[in-house]
Coordinates of all heavy atoms in Angstrom, one line a residue:
Chain B
T18 N 50.9 91.3 -39.3 CA 52.1 92.2 -39.4 C 53.2 91.7 -38.5 O 54.4 91.5 -39.0 CB 51.7 93.6 -39.0 OG1 50.8 94.1 -39.9 CG2 52.9 94.5 -39.0
E19 N 52.9 91.4 -37.3 CA 53.9 90.9 -36.4 C 54.6 89.7 -36.8 O 55.8 89.6 -36.8 CB 53.2 90.7 -35.0 CG 54.2 90.7 -33.8 CD 53.5 90.6 -32.5 OE1 52.5 91.3 -32.4 OE2 54.0 89.9 -31.6
L20 N 53.8 88.7 -37.3 CA 54.4 87.5 -37.8 C 55.2 87.6 -39.0 O 56.3 87.1 -39.1 CB 53.2 86.4 -38.0 CG 52.5 86.0 -36.7 CD1 51.3 85.1 -37.1 CD2 53.5 85.2 -35.8
F21 N 54.7 88.4 -40.0 CA 55.4 88.5 -41.2 C 56.7 89.3 -41.0 O 57.7 88.9 -41.6 CB 54.5 89.3 -42.3 CG 53.6 88.4 -43.0 CD1 52.2 88.9 -43.2 CD2 53.9 87.2 -43.5 CE1 51.3 88.0 -43.9 CE2 53.0 86.4 -44.2 CZ 51.7 86.8 -44.4
L22 N 56.6 90.3 -40.2 CA 57.9 91.1 -39.9 C 58.9 90.2 -39.2 O 60.1 90.4 -39.5 CB 57.5 92.3 -39.0 CG 56.8 93.5 -39.7 CD1 56.7 94.7 -38.7 CD2 57.6 94.0 -40.9
E23 N 58.4 89.3 -38.4 CA 59.4 88.5 -37.7 C 60.0 87.4 -38.5 O 61.2 87.1 -38.5 CB 58.7 87.9 -36.5 CG 59.6 87.2 -35.5 CD 58.9 86.5 -34.4 OE1 57.8 87.0 -34.0 OE2 59.4 85.5 -33.8
S24 N 59.2 86.8 -39.4 CA 59.6 85.5 -40.0 C 59.6 85.6 -41.5 O 60.1 84.6 -42.2 CB 58.8 84.4 -39.5 OG 58.7 84.3 -38.1
G25 N 59.1 86.6 -42.1 CA 59.0 86.6 -43.6 C 57.8 86.0 -44.1 O 57.1 85.3 -43.4
Y26 N 57.6 86.3 -45.4 CA 56.3 85.9 -46.0 C 56.1 84.4 -46.1 O 55.1 83.8 -45.6 CB 56.2 86.4 -47.4 CG 54.9 86.1 -48.2 CD1 53.8 86.7 -47.9 CD2 54.9 85.1 -49.2 CE1 52.6 86.4 -48.5 CE2 53.8 84.7 -49.8 CZ 52.6 85.4 -49.5 OH 51.5 85.0 -50.2
S27 N 57.1 83.7 -46.6 CA 56.9 82.2 -46.8 C 56.8 81.4 -45.6 O 56.2 80.3 -45.5 CB 58.0 81.7 -47.7 OG 57.9 82.3 -49.0
R28 N 57.5 81.9 -44.5 CA 57.6 81.1 -43.3 C 56.4 81.3 -42.4 O 56.3 80.6 -41.4 CB 58.9 81.5 -42.5 CG 60.1 81.0 -43.2 CD 61.3 81.3 -42.3 NE 62.5 80.5 -42.6 CZ 63.4 80.7 -43.5 NH1 63.3 81.8 -44.2 NH2 64.4 79.9 -43.7
V29 N 55.5 82.1 -42.7 CA 54.3 82.3 -41.9 C 53.1 81.7 -42.6 O 52.8 82.0 -43.8 CB 54.0 83.8 -41.7 CG1 52.7 84.0 -41.0 CG2 55.2 84.4 -40.9
S30 N 52.4 80.8 -41.9 CA 51.3 80.2 -42.5 C 50.0 80.9 -42.1 O 50.0 81.6 -41.0 CB 51.2 78.7 -42.1 OG 50.9 78.7 -40.7
V31 N 49.0 80.8 -42.9 CA 47.7 81.4 -42.6 C 47.2 80.8 -41.3 O 46.6 81.5 -40.4 CB 46.7 81.2 -43.7 CG1 45.4 81.8 -43.3 CG2 47.2 81.8 -45.0
D32 N 47.4 79.6 -41.0 CA 47.0 78.9 -39.8 C 47.7 79.6 -38.6 O 47.1 79.8 -37.5 CB 47.4 77.5 -39.8 CG 46.5 76.7 -40.7 OD1 45.3 76.8 -40.6 OD2 47.0 75.9 -41.6
A33 N 49.0 80.0 -38.7 CA 49.6 80.7 -37.6 C 49.0 82.0 -37.3 O 48.9 82.4 -36.2 CB 51.1 80.8 -38.0
I34 N 48.6 82.7 -38.4 CA 47.9 84.0 -38.2 C 46.6 83.8 -37.5 O 46.3 84.5 -36.5 CB 47.7 84.7 -39.5 CG1 49.1 85.0 -40.2 CG2 46.9 86.0 -39.4 CD1 49.0 85.5 -41.6
V35 N 45.9 82.8 -37.9 CA 44.6 82.5 -37.2 C 44.8 82.2 -35.8 O 44.1 82.6 -34.9 CB 43.9 81.3 -37.9 CG1 42.7 80.9 -37.1 CG2 43.5 81.7 -39.3
A36 N 45.9 81.4 -35.5 CA 46.1 81.0 -34.1 C 46.4 82.2 -33.3 O 46.1 82.3 -32.1 CB 47.3 80.0 -34.1
K37 N 47.0 83.2 -33.9 CA 47.4 84.4 -33.1 C 46.2 85.4 -32.9 O 46.0 85.9 -31.8 CB 48.5 85.2 -33.8 CG 49.1 86.3 -33.0 CD 50.3 86.9 -33.8 CE 51.0 88.0 -32.9 NZ 51.7 87.4 -31.7
V38 N 45.5 85.6 -33.9 CA 44.4 86.6 -33.9 C 43.1 85.9 -33.4 O 42.2 86.7 -32.9 CB 44.2 87.2 -35.2 CG1 43.5 86.3 -36.2 CG2 43.3 88.5 -35.1
G39 N 43.0 84.6 -33.4 CA 41.7 84.0 -33.1 C 40.7 84.0 -34.3 O 41.0 84.6 -35.3
G40 N 39.6 83.4 -34.1 CA 38.7 83.3 -35.2 C 39.0 82.2 -36.1 O 39.7 81.2 -35.8
S41 N 38.6 82.3 -37.4 CA 38.8 81.2 -38.3 C 39.3 81.7 -39.6 O 39.3 82.9 -39.9 CB 37.4 80.5 -38.6 OG 36.7 81.3 -39.5
K42 N 39.9 80.8 -40.4 CA 40.4 81.2 -41.7 C 39.4 81.8 -42.6 O 39.7 82.7 -43.3 CB 41.0 79.9 -42.3 CG 42.4 79.5 -41.9 CD 43.1 78.8 -42.9 CE 43.0 77.3 -42.7 NZ 43.9 76.6 -43.6
R43 N 38.2 81.3 -42.5 CA 37.1 81.8 -43.3 C 37.1 83.4 -43.3 O 36.9 84.0 -44.3 CB 35.8 81.3 -42.7 CG 34.5 81.8 -43.4 CD 33.9 80.8 -44.2 NE 32.8 81.3 -45.0 CZ 32.4 80.7 -46.1 NH1 32.9 79.6 -46.5 NH2 31.4 81.2 -46.8
T44 N 37.2 83.9 -42.1 CA 37.2 85.4 -41.9 C 38.3 86.1 -42.7 O 38.1 87.0 -43.4 CB 37.2 85.8 -40.4 OG1 36.3 85.0 -39.7 CG2 36.9 87.2 -40.2
I45 N 39.5 85.5 -42.5 CA 40.6 86.1 -43.3 C 40.4 86.1 -44.8 O 40.6 87.1 -45.4 CB 41.9 85.4 -42.9 CG1 42.3 85.6 -41.4 CG2 43.1 85.8 -43.8 CD1 43.6 85.1 -41.0
Y46 N 40.0 85.0 -45.3 CA 39.8 84.9 -46.7 C 38.6 85.7 -47.2 O 38.6 86.2 -48.3 CB 39.6 83.4 -47.1 CG 40.9 82.7 -47.1 CD1 41.3 81.9 -46.0 CD2 41.7 82.7 -48.2 CE1 42.5 81.3 -46.0 CE2 42.9 82.1 -48.2 CZ 43.4 81.3 -47.1 OH 44.6 80.7 -47.1
A47 N 37.6 86.0 -46.3 CA 36.5 86.9 -46.6 C 37.0 88.3 -46.8 O 36.6 89.0 -47.7 CB 35.4 86.8 -45.6
Y48 N 38.0 88.7 -45.9 CA 38.4 90.1 -45.9 C 39.5 90.3 -47.0 O 39.5 91.4 -47.6 CB 39.0 90.5 -44.6 CG 38.0 90.9 -43.6 CD1 37.5 90.0 -42.6 CD2 37.5 92.2 -43.6 CE1 36.6 90.4 -41.7 CE2 36.6 92.6 -42.7 CZ 36.1 91.7 -41.7 OH 35.1 92.1 -40.8
F49 N 40.4 89.4 -47.2 CA 41.6 89.7 -48.0 C 41.7 88.8 -49.2 O 42.7 88.9 -50.0 CB 42.8 89.6 -47.2 CG 42.8 90.5 -46.0 CD1 42.5 90.1 -44.7 CD2 43.1 91.8 -46.2 CE1 42.5 90.9 -43.6 CE2 43.1 92.7 -45.1 CZ 42.8 92.3 -43.8

Side-chain angles (χ1 to χ4, degrees):
Chain B
T18 296
E19 197 171 322
L20 291 174
F21 278 136
L22 286 184
E23 188 184 335
S24 308
Y26 180 76
S27 296
R28 285 184 161 88
V29 172
S30 68
V31 178
D32 287 311
I34 299 171
V35 171
K37 190 176 185 67
V38 72
S41 80
K42 277 209 263 188
R43 176 110 187 157
T44 311
I45 291 186
Y46 283 94
Y48 276 98
F49 301 101

